[in-house]
C-alpha cells in the first residue's frame, strides 16, 4: 500500500500535470504480456488456444499459463479501478468555484486534499508537501484571476494569507514576500522594456541601426543580463510575454 505521504505527492504532482494539459497515468508497472507465438504450434492462429490431442491431459506448463493469465487479468482490473479513483480525486481537487473568495477556495482545496490523500499540509509534520500543495493551489486559474485583479499591496497581503493558511511560519511568509517584491520589480522592468522595444520597432526599419538601439536598450534595462535576453529573443522567446503566475514567478 502507498504511504499517506506518497499518495499526496502523487496527487499533487499529477494535479500539476493536469493543469498543464497532460493526462497522467500512474500504474505500478506493466501487466504481463504473452509473447506472440510463444509455446504455440505454427498452425495455431493468433489468439486461438492450442488444441490438445484426443485423450491428452493438460500439461503443467499449460495450467501455469492459464493461472498467469487469470492473475494478470485480475491485476489489470484492480489497477484500472485504482487509476480511475485517483483520476476522479485529482479532477475534484482542481475543480475550484471561481465565484468563491480566496479563503473559501483554499478551504475547499485543502479539505479535498486532506480527504483524498490523508495528509493536511497545514499540520507541522507535513512540511515536505506544503510547498507542493501551495504551488498547485496558486496555479489554479480562478486563484490567479483573483490575484491578478488586485492592486499590488492587496495582492501581497492575499499571498501572505494563502501561505499562512497553508501552515507557513511567519519567517517563511516574510521570505516569500521578499521574493514576491523582487519578482514584481523584475516584471515591471520587463514590461517597460517590452513597451520601449515595441516603440523602437515602430520607428526604425530592420538593419544595423535597429540592432544597435536594441543592444543599448537591453543594457539599459537588464545590465549584465542583456546578452541572455538577446539570445532568448534570437530564439523567439520573450520572457515578459509569458504567463505571470503570482506567487510563483
Amino acid at each position: 500500500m502507498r504511504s499517506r505521504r506518497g499518495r499526496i505527492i502523487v496527487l499533487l504532482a499529477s494535479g500539476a500535470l493536469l493543469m498543464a494539459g497532460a493526462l497522467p497515468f500512474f500504474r505500478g508497472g506493466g501487466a504481463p504480456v504473452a509473447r506472440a507465438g510463444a509455446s504455440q504450434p505454427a498452425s495455431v492462429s493468433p489468439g486461438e488456444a492450442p488444441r490438445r490431442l484426443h485423450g491428452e491431459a493438460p500439461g503443467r506448463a499449460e495450467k501455469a499459463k492459464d493461472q498467469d493469465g487469470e492473475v494478470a487479468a485480475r491485476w489489470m482490473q484492480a489497477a484500472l479501478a485504482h487509476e480511475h479513483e485517483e483520476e476522479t480525486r485529482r479532477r475534484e481537487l482542481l475543480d475550484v468555484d471561481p465565484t468563491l473568495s480566496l479563503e473559501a477556495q483554499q478551504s475547499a482545496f485543502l479539505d479535498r486534499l486532506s480527504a483524498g490523500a490523508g495528509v493536511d499540509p497545514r499540520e507541522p509534520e507535513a512540511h515536505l508537501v506544503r510547498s507542493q500543495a501551495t504551488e498547485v493551489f496558486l496555479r489554479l486559474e480562478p486563484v490567479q484571476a483573483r490575484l491578478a485583479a488586485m492592486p499590488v499591496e492587496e495582492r501581497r497581503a492575499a499571498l501572505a494569507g494563502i501561505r499562512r493558511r497553508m501552515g507557513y511560519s511567519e519567517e517563511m511568509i516574510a521570505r516569500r514576500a521578499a521574493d514576491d517584491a523582487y519578482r514584481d520589480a523584475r516584471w515591471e522592468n520587463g514590461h517597460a522594456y517590452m513597451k520601449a522595444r515595441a516603440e523602437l520597432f515602430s520607428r526604425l526599419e530592420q538593419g544595423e541601426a535597429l540592432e544597435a538601439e536594441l543592444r543599448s536598450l537591453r543594457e539599459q534595462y537588464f545590465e549584465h543580463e542583456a546578452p541572455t535576453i538577446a539570445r532568448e529573443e534570437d530564439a523567439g522567446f520573450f520572457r515578459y510575454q509569458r504567463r505571470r503566475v503570482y506567487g510563483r514567478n
Side-chain angles (χ1 to χ4, degrees), residues 62-78:
E62 187 175 340
K63 287 183 179 179
K65 183 177 179 181
D66 291 341
Q67 291 174 351
D68 288 345
E70 292 175 2
V71 170
R74 288 197 300 270
W75 181 89
M76 180 60 72
Q77 185 177 10

Side-chain angles (χ1 to χ4, degrees), residues 118-238:
V119 177
D120 190 337
R122 295 165 287 192
E123 297 176 355
E125 64 272 17
H127 63 280
L128 291 177
V129 296
R130 185 172 297 121
S131 177
Q132 293 169 307
T134 303
E135 175 160 0
V136 171
F137 178 72
L138 285 175
R139 288 185 178 276
L140 296 176
E141 289 293 342
V143 174
Q144 283 298 309
R146 290 271 183 179
L147 293 171
M150 295 177 178
V152 174
E153 292 304 320
E154 183 180 351
R155 180 166 57 246
R156 290 178 182 175
L159 286 168
I162 288 171
R163 290 162 180 148
R164 189 171 290 113
R165 289 188 293 273
M166 282 288 185
Y168 281 91
S169 68
E170 292 302 317
E171 179 183 1
M172 289 302 299
I173 290 171
R175 290 183 184 178
R176 295 292 186 269
D179 291 340
D180 292 335
Y182 173 74
R183 296 185 188 112
D184 286 344
R186 286 182 63 86
W187 277 90
E188 184 178 354
N189 181 70
H191 287 154
Y193 162 75
M194 292 301 294
K195 183 177 180 180
R197 185 181 187 278
E199 193 274 332
L200 274 183
F201 275 83
S202 70
R203 65 181 177 84
L204 294 177
E205 298 291 335
Q206 291 282 351
E208 292 182 3
L210 176 60
E211 289 300 321
E213 290 285 347
L214 275 175
R215 283 195 298 272
S216 176
L217 194 66
R218 294 189 197 105
E219 291 170 359
Q220 175 187 342
Y221 280 91
F222 301 109
E223 299 178 349
H224 66 280
E225 288 186 291
T228 300
I229 298 296
R231 287 193 295 270
E232 290 177 354
E233 291 181 0
D234 288 343
F237 173 70
F238 296 87

